Amino acid sequence: MGKMQLHFLPGHRRVTISTRDCLPEIVKAQGGGSGKASNHRRFSCRAVLPTAFLLTIIMPFLFFRTAFLALDGATGCPSLDCIGRTLSQRFQWIGGDASRALAAELTWAILKAESELNENQGDDDVPESLDDLIADLKANTHNVDMFVVKTKALLSKMEQKVRAAKLQGYIYRHYASIGVPMSLHCLSLKLADEYSSNAAARIQIPSPDSVTCLTNNLYQHYVLLTDNVLAAGVVIASAVKSSAKPENAVFHIITDKKTYAPMHAWFALNPVYSPAVLEVKGLHQLDWPSESNIKVVEITEMHGAVKEYFYNRWQGSSLSHVSSDFGREMEAARRSPNYVSFMNHMRIYLPELFPKLHKVVFLDDDIVVQHDLSHLWEIDLQGKVNGAVETSKKFEVYLNFSNSFVSKSFQQDRLAWAYGMNVFDLQAWRKTDITERYHHWLKLNLDSGSTLWRLGTLPPALLAFDGYVHTIDSKWHVSGLGYRPEIDQQTLEEAAVLHFSGPAKPWLQIGFPELRPLWSRHLNFSNEFIRSCGFME
């Protein structure tokens, strides 16, 4: 049997593993530098096999270590120059002149790789995977420079794939959060059919003897703006159940034209609000003043323009070459799926919607009421317009302070307040220019190419209500249940209102199973419409 020979030539940085009779030739790797020749060091086949075995274990570790260092350069080391210096420092512990020389050459190759990679970004020979890179190294003799360039190209391609996959995940989750589940669609269709065929589904709400309560300021008035029948039913049912005196409560539900019939039919056939008073109105039924009507048309056009701008950017973007800003926009859209709903803008018209009311409590449709809310009417807003819970997020989370329009008018470290459960003093509101300021900022954002904030209706509200917000106790409103299920049990139990803000709504499959019972316990699963549309407990 012949002998295997392993030759080290440190001066030429050459490693040759050869055999005459023992094993076939395995790898040849040649460095690009020159140096003094050295004596051949020979090992027997018996010594080489354990060495080769150890190399198969160590080399993947070294490759991935280098890969992590390179990827780390995307944040901590933005250039290959930084990566080269880092690698040089990391290899200092390796002893021997030849090893240090190899480390120096590897460092120099990394410093050169960035320019070479930029020149060859369109090459088709960039490895598709680590296996392809290893196969290429086995099949061809490469100097250190080419090895570094190809490794860097592979890492760059992998980074692009990761970014594309992350954005694709944002898109899928966004679709899941804004899409209408088949069960909800079924419910709306069945109720619309019931409205057209069943006189009981069209009875007047409220009854004629309760109509005067709708404008009576001795009652406590709650407002919902929604196009979700099931969610509205949970809000009303939980609020009535939690109220100490539900007979003093009046609920005003404002919806769009397409949802009016199923919404009316639901509450006509399921009087879960009794003994409270409830009305359902469509936007098409409102008698707007001409000035307000012009504002609504204007905000409708602006909302449509923002949606068109956003979706045009979305459709025109390559998933593998998306900007970080666009990724953040998609993340904002994922976290605030209702930004596409025009109904969210209608809350800025509460003084016009209810011209005879003095004070209302606004409730979002993704909330659950757990405790009596009547004490909200006892809170002194101290001349402010909006009573709201303060959050831990700062203005800089929602607004772009690199824009001079924002930075010169507001402080980025100010804490934001939460939409979802708000006490509005409509009398004080009518004495301000809040609605006009809201329109002003919407138009300014549209004219700037939607660069003042990242989507949603909270950012312009933060700007419009600035100086008119009174902070109330945080126990009144706990938000964020649509994206953080880890809220402690005591906080959940003490909260008067639980707000499922975020993409994981409790009526969606992506809702958190551990939180969904807080919402679903207010549904009557024996109801024929809920049962026939496949809602599950």
Side-chain angles (χ1 to χ4, degrees):
M1 179 179 291
K3 293 184 179 180
M4 172 177 282
Q5 296 179 344
L6 176 62
H7 304 277
F8 288 93
L9 298 180
H12 294 84
R13 278 165 292 282
R14 178 191 299 271
V15 180
T16 304
I17 301 175
S18 62
T19 177
R20 295 183 178 88
D21 302 315
C22 182
L23 291 171
E25 186 174 38
I26 303 173
V27 176
K28 291 184 179 180
Q30 178 179 344
S34 63
K36 297 179 179 180
S38 64
N39 294 329
H40 287 39
R41 298 174 186 177
R42 304 174 183 275
F43 297 90
S44 68
C45 184
R46 184 175 302 175
V48 168
L49 287 178
T51 304
F53 177 73
L54 289 175
L55 286 175
T56 60
I57 299 175
I58 295 174
M59 290 305 293
F61 168 78
L62 292 177
F63 176 83
F64 283 111
R65 180 61 176 162
T66 306
F68 283 130
L69 287 172
L71 288 176
D72 185 56
T75 54
C77 284
S79 67
L80 281 170
D81 177 72
C82 177
I83 297 174
R85 292 195 302 271
T86 302
L87 281 174
S88 179
Q89 296 170 1
R90 298 295 174 90
F91 284 117
Q92 289 299 316
W93 59 272
I94 302 178
D97 294 337
S99 297
R100 282 192 292 270
L102 182 59
E105 184 174 352
L106 180 60
T107 301
W108 176 247
I110 290 175
L111 298 179
K112 292 171 56 182
E114 186 168 19
S115 59
E116 294 187 22
L117 181 61
N118 290 336
E119 294 174 0
N120 300 294
Q121 279 182 335
D123 291 350
D124 296 330
D125 61 346
V126 177
E128 291 291 334
S129 65
L130 176 59
D131 290 339
D132 291 341
L133 177 62
I134 294 175
D136 181 58
L137 294 176
K138 287 182 177 180
N140 302 286
T141 300
H142 293 301
N143 58 29
V144 173
D145 292 349
M146 183 55 64
F147 167 75
V148 172
V149 169
K150 290 207 170 191
T151 302
K152 176 61 179 176
L154 173 61
L155 293 175
S156 297
K157 180 173 287 189
M158 291 170 62
E159 184 180 1
Q160 286 184 354
K161 289 181 178 180
V162 169
R163 291 174 62 197
K166 188 174 182 180
L167 179 64
Q168 190 72 67
Y170 287 156
I171 293 174
Y172 288 154
R173 194 168 179 85
H174 177 65
Y175 276 140
S177 63
I178 67 170
V180 179
M182 186 178 296
S183 54
L184 284 181
H185 186 62
C186 166
L187 182 64
S188 292
L189 290 178
K190 286 183 175 293
L191 288 171
D193 180 67
E194 198 73 13
Y195 182 85
S196 63
S197 61
N198 186 352
R202 299 191 301 272
I203 62 172
Q204 182 178 342
I205 303 176
S207 60
D209 58 339
S210 299
V211 170
T212 57
C213 300
L214 300 178
T215 55
N216 189 338
N217 285 289
L218 296 177
Y219 287 83
Q220 297 172 350
H221 296 266
Y222 301 86
V223 176
L224 282 83
L225 303 171
T226 179
D227 56 2
N228 188 323
V229 176
L230 195 67
V234 168
V235 174
I236 302 299
S238 63
V240 171
K241 183 179 179 180
S242 304
S243 177
K245 294 183 178 180
E247 63 275 9
N248 292 339
V250 178
F251 295 95
H252 305 264
I253 299 178
I254 307 296
T255 189
D256 56 16
K257 186 175 183 179
K258 66 178 175 55
T259 314
Y260 171 75
M263 187 76 75
H264 186 106
W266 175 260
F267 287 103
L269 299 174
N270 302 278
V272 294
Y273 55 85
S274 181
V277 176
L278 180 140
E279 74 163 338
V280 177
K281 272 196 172 183
L283 291 175
H284 61 291
Q285 298 174 319
L286 299 175
D287 186 18
W288 293 96
S290 57
E291 182 180 349
S292 298
N293 193 49
I294 293 174
K295 292 180 180 178
V296 172
V297 172
E298 182 180 302
I299 205 171
T300 303
E301 293 174 350
M302 287 190 287
H303 176 70
V306 169
K307 283 180 60 178
E308 183 178 2
Y309 166 81
F310 177 76
Y311 280 110
N312 283 343
R313 282 197 67 192
W314 186 350
Q315 294 174 358
S317 298
S318 170
L319 292 181
S320 60
H321 295 86
V322 293
S323 67
S324 58
D325 288 339
F326 185 65
R328 284 194 292 269
E329 286 180 4
M330 278 307 309
E331 173 66 5
R334 182 183 74 82
R335 291 185 175 275
S336 182
N338 286 336
Y339 83 96
V340 295
S341 174
F342 172 71
M343 294 298 298
N344 277 357
H345 288 293
M346 296 308 298
R347 61 189 73 174
I348 202 65
Y349 298 111
L350 288 178
E352 288 83 5
L353 288 170
F354 305 100
K356 296 182 179 181
L357 296 183
H358 298 165
K359 182 183 286 188
V360 300
V361 169
F362 168 78
L363 299 176
D364 225 334
D365 63 2
D366 54 352
I367 64 104
V368 170
V369 180
Q370 296 194 127
H371 302 300
D372 181 33
L373 300 181
S374 60
H375 295 292
L376 288 171
W377 269 261
E378 301 172 4
I379 296 176
D380 181 8
L381 297 183
Q382 300 178 8
K384 305 295 185 181
V385 173
N386 179 5
V389 168
E390 196 172 62
T391 71
S392 60
K393 294 183 179 179
K394 298 179 180 180
F395 270 38
E396 63 184 356
V397 174
Y398 301 98
L399 304 170
N400 178 18
F401 277 88
S402 64
N403 187 291
S404 58
F405 288 114
V406 176
S407 59
K408 70 183 180 182
S409 304
F410 304 94
Q411 297 178 345
Q412 61 184 21
D413 60 347
R414 290 187 54 188
L415 293 178
W417 48 270
Y419 252 145
M421 197 287 300
N422 305 82
V423 185
F424 288 115
D425 186 336
L426 300 185
Q427 286 183 305
W429 190 336
R430 295 184 184 102
K431 298 175 184 178
T432 70
D433 61 345
I434 290 174
T435 304
E436 289 73 17
R437 289 166 65 177
Y438 189 89
H439 275 259
H440 166 74
W441 283 108
L442 278 183
K443 189 174 187 303
L444 201 61
N445 185 49
L446 184 61
D447 293 341
S448 68
S450 298
T451 60
L452 300 189
W453 58 80
R454 294 180 188 159
L455 302 170
T457 53
L458 179 58
L462 293 176
L463 303 176
F465 281 98
D466 186 57
Y468 295 102
V469 179
H470 175 75
T471 302
I472 62 177
D473 194 300
S474 60
K475 291 182 180 180
W476 281 111
H477 179 197
V478 172
S479 59
L481 274 69
Y483 59 86
R484 52 178 186 134
E486 70 280 1
I487 303 175
D488 65 272
Q489 190 63 32
Q490 183 177 353
T491 301
L492 292 176
E493 292 174 356
E494 292 179 351
V497 168
L498 297 177
H499 189 185
F500 290 84
S501 55
K505 303 300 183 189
W507 55 83
L508 299 176
Q509 288 188 351
I510 62 174
F512 300 116
E514 60 268 40
L515 296 179
R516 186 178 289 115
L518 297 172
W519 182 85
S520 61
R521 65 189 179 189
H522 298 285
L523 285 178
N524 178 13
F525 287 96
S526 63
N527 179 279
E528 61 174 309
F529 295 105
I530 290 180
R531 190 173 63 252
S532 62
C533 287
F535 289 95
M536 303 296 293
E537 293 190 52

